[in-house]
Amino acid sequence: MSTTARPTQTSDIISAVEFSVSGELLATGDKGGRVVIFQREPERKRRPYLRGEYNVYSTFQSHEPEFDFLKSLEIEERINKIRWLPHQNPAHFLLSTNDKTVKLWKISERDKRAEGYNLKEEDGRVREPFRITSLRVPVVLPMELTVEASLRRTFANAHTYHIHSISVNSDHETYLSADDLRINLWHVEITDRSFTIVDIKPANMEELTEVITAAEFHPQQCHTLAYSSSKGSIRLCDMRAAALCDNHAKFFGEPEDPGSRSFFSEIISSISDLKFSRSGRYMLTRDFLSVKVWDLHMEARPVETYQVHEYLRAKLCFLYENDCIFDKFECCWNGSDSAIMSGSYNNFFRLFDRNSQRDITLEASRDANKPRATLKPRRVSMGGKRQRDEVSVDSLDYSRKILHSAWHPTDNIIAVAASNSLYIFQDEVN
């Protein structure tokens, strides 16, 4: 396990975590608008366990705080989402977004510099024409390796509400951005216009009954996308049918048991995250208490349901009073779609094996921050006599929570963000 921590300030709290398509790079965004990129260490024969080590590769300021004078609204610099574009040349490209603006960044390396220009001095100043008395041939010289982050595109002024999702299409040329009521389609080369492909805003806002909570493109079918709602349903859209996908192709939802309905039912059923499986056959959704796996061929109910922290059902009133019930937890698949992960409180995160139906609770804490330290499973006691290695449900710390997590696309390496700390865990290597 490795961890990266910064001084505890609100601006340092990590708000996005994402592996690159190859898994060689890992990007984090924080509430201060910064993006930090980590690079994986190459494998060494004598120390193979270092294969899971990630070290800082580049740091840059992606977004700055802004002010909308027309609406008298302050726009925070917080990074809501990061998405990598497929690696097609020596440079890397990623999309980052705050509440209103998506930016395309190029991350590139420089280890050479040119010298001997004719029209300018070495410090960049333009040479006077009368001083040019001979023709020089520029030469390329080696220099210390530097990593540069350069802004290539800015996609702005397309969202009235806060952007919560961005997703790169499998055609590698377009991506979507979604807010509470609309989903827009962009081309990565065009910044001055986008196309609204989903619009659920009613003519009268008093008739609004649900909002979009997450959206993602299918990993193989460039015409297919899905979005989830605050009512716990998922809509699958096919862009071949119509340019405006207000009429969905499939509707996924689980009927509610009238006997279990309560004041909190609608709040805890709201989907906070949606992820297609890497195979494209399944969808994974996260609500407040559980993660669910949906088969694209079966709309009536999920094929698998895993309880993340069912022991909190009795504490919903307390969680409502301190606003924790509105926390938005993310979920993710492993590289083979055989396991899933999602976070919880007390810096716990849960892993579920779909084949064996086994699950485990682990904790991201500084106590385990030792080379090759093995994480011990944690258990939560519901009451009564507590075992030695159990944690009482009444002693959970709700200010420590794993909202953002990511799984390496091929290896068993996971990254979880806990406040201003990033924890990276890997399978034990003998």
Side-chain angles (χ1 to χ4, degrees), residues 300-312:
R301 64 183 65 84
V303 292
E304 299 162 30
T305 300
Y306 302 96
Q307 301 301 330
V308 178
H309 41 217
E310 181 65 19
Y311 47 81
L312 294 181

Side-chain angles (χ1 to χ4, degrees), residues 34 42 62 110 145 220 259 393 408:
R34 293 180 296 268
S62 174
R110 281 188 60 191
L145 179 67
Q220 283 98 35
V393 68
H408 191 282

Side-chain angles (χ1 to χ4, degrees), residues 152-271:
R152 302 310 300 268
R153 305 278 188 279
T154 299
F155 308 89
N157 305 320
H159 286 275
T160 305
Y161 305 96
H162 291 177
I163 300 172
H164 52 62
S165 301
I166 52 175
S167 177
V168 179
N169 200 346
S170 59
D171 63 11
H172 305 164
E173 293 183 347
T174 56
Y175 75 92
L176 66 78
S177 59
D179 63 28
D180 288 349
L181 298 180
R182 292 190 179 96
I183 300 177
N184 291 334
L185 179 67
W186 300 83
H187 193 286
V188 293
E189 298 290 339
I190 302 172
T191 61
D192 60 352
R193 65 182 180 274
S194 63
F195 300 95
T196 299
I197 52 177
V198 174
D199 187 351
I200 67 169
K201 183 179 180 180
N204 182 2
M205 285 295 283
E206 293 181 358
E207 298 173 1
L208 182 67
T209 58
E210 63 180 333
V211 296
I212 299 169
T213 56
E216 185 168 83
F217 269 120
H218 191 279
Q220 283 98 35
Q221 301 170 5
C222 62
H223 53 79
T224 303
L225 65 110
Y227 67 92
S228 58
S229 85
S230 57
K231 283 194 170 182
S233 60
I234 309 108
R235 291 169 174 84
L236 193 72
C237 301
D238 189 340
M239 293 192 293
R240 295 174 301 180
L244 188 62
C245 300
D246 286 350
N247 295 320
H248 50 268
K250 289 188 176 183
F251 179 87
F252 299 83
E254 191 173 18
E256 185 183 8
D257 180 10
S260 63
R261 180 165 181 80
S262 71
F263 171 78
F264 305 107
S265 294
E266 190 167 324
I267 300 174
I268 63 175
S269 66
S270 175
I271 295 174

Side-chain angles (χ1 to χ4, degrees), residues 308-309 311 329 342-349 400-402:
V308 178
H309 41 217
Y311 47 81
F329 292 93
S342 195
S344 182
Y345 294 103
N346 211 64
N347 276 6
F348 289 168
F349 58 98
R400 299 171 64 234
K401 46 197 167 190
I402 304 292

Side-chain angles (χ1 to χ4, degrees), residues 354-366:
R354 298 180 61 209
N355 298 325
S356 66
Q357 296 295 303
R358 291 186 300 176
D359 63 84
I360 188 172
T361 302
L362 301 172
E363 181 181 4
S365 70
R366 301 280 178 86

